[in-house]
């Protein structure tokens, strides 16, 4: 294979081991960290008695990190549509279609999850607050039935996200350990 000049290693489509750019990589792993933290918070507050200050504080933290996720997702979509580096598909044929469906599915699930969380909070009696610093006022009146309905769908989507992200992570590890084709490395710093 032709030697690729060092200056082109990061950007050229002909480099043998291209990587995503640093912003894409940072936003990917920040998303992972936030999703895991948000899920863990919901598991832990379930152990605290209903109505307790601890449970309330964990829910407020969940909403605050949730708003960080909303900002991260927005940045990620804008970055991907604009200057973010795109790489050729890691698979061909059916696997390529499956990978694409999983990636777009994850974006859609995360977007839906964020929307359900924000609207669920707006229909509740509690504020959509960012770390006790400020709150985004609700345009709606309180509606307990609607809040419960939205949060119940939010709960189901949380499980679906974990399953789909788990399959996605397993596929990344399969590429790394079985196919040894460098696909995982392109998303690593
Ligand atoms: C992938 C990201 C997320 C996951 C995995 C997740 C997970 C969960 C889970 C498992 C619950 C418990 C549902 C129940 O009690 O039935 C919950 C509740 C909730 N989530 Fe999320 N969530 C995520 C993102 C968000 C976002 C972005 C927001 C909004 C900014 C949000 C706002 C809420 C609210 C308001 C509740 C109800 C809390 C309460 O009962 O007061 N979540 N979430
Ligand atoms: C909550 C967990 C995760 C979410 C929501 C998530 C989401 C995503 C999304 C949406 C993409 C598509 C990027 C794009 O084309 O715009 C992607 C790519 C990628 N993810 Fe994840 N991911 C998660 C966890 C992981 C884990 C744990 C690993 C590694 C074990 C991983 C490895 C990768 C790799 C290697 C790519 C690039 C695949 C390619 O170039 O075709 N992801 N991820």
């Amino acid at each position: 294979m032709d030697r690729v000049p060092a200056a082109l290693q990061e950007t050229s489509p002909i480099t043998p081991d291209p990587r995503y750019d640093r912003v894409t990589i940072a936003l990917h792993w920040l998303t992972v960290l936030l999703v895991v933290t948000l899920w863990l918070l919901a598991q832990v507050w379930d152990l605290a008695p209903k109505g307790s200050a601890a449970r309330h504080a964990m829910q407020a933290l969940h909403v605050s990190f949730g708003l960080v996720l909303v900002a991260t997702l927005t940045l990620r979509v804008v970055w991907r549509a604009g200057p973010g580096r795109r790489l050729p598909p890691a698979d061909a044929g059916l696997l390529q279609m499956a990978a694409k469906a999983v990636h777009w599915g994850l974006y859609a699930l995360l977007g839906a999850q964020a929307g359900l969380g924000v609207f669920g909070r707006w229909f509740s009696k509690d504020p959509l607050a960012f770390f006790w610093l400020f709150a985004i006022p609700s345009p709606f009146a309180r509606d307990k039935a609607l809040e419960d309905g939205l949060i119940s769908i939010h709960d189901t989507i949380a499980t679906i996200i974990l399953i789909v992200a788990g399959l996605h992570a397993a596929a990344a590890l399969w590429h790394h350990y079985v196919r040894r084709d460098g696909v995982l490395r392109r998303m690593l710093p």
Side-chain angles (χ1 to χ4, degrees), residues 35 38-39 42-43 45 59 62-63 66-67 69-70 110 113-114 117-118 121 128 151 154-155 158 161:
V35 170
L38 286 163
W39 184 79
Q43 308 315 303
W45 86 52
Q59 287 170 337
H62 181 92
V63 168
L67 290 176
L69 179 68
V70 171
L110 291 172
Q113 187 70 336
V118 166
R121 193 66 160 183
L128 180 66
I151 295 302
H154 185 83
D155 195 18
I161 288 176

Side-chain angles (χ1 to χ4, degrees), residues 20 28-29 31-32 35 76 80 90 103 106-107 110 165 168-169 172-173 183-184 186-187:
Y20 288 98
H28 176 268
W29 292 107
T31 308
V32 177
V35 170
R76 200 163 168 194
R80 191 188 196 282
H103 291 166
L106 280 170
Y107 282 126
L110 291 172
H168 162 75
L173 295 175
V183 164
L184 176 59
R186 44 195 220 173
M187 196 47 108

Side-chain angles (χ1 to χ4, degrees), residues 99-180:
K100 212 169 177 182
V102 164
H103 291 166
W104 286 110
L106 280 170
Y107 282 126
L109 286 165
L110 291 172
Q113 187 70 336
L116 287 162
V118 166
F119 281 87
R121 193 66 160 183
W122 269 341
F123 284 111
S124 82
K125 62 178 174 18
D126 298 309
L128 180 66
F130 185 72
F131 296 106
W132 296 271
L133 294 174
F134 63 88
I136 304 170
S138 171
F140 310 109
R142 179 159 196 229
D143 187 330
K144 173 91 173 85
L146 198 49
E147 176 201 348
D148 288 348
L150 293 177
I151 295 302
S152 148
I153 305 175
H154 185 83
D155 195 18
T156 308
I157 292 193
T159 309
I160 299 175
I161 288 176
L162 285 192
I163 294 171
V164 178
L167 288 173
H168 162 75
L173 295 175
W174 173 73
H175 271 285
H176 190 67
Y177 289 109
V178 181
R179 288 189 47 179
R180 298 173 187 274

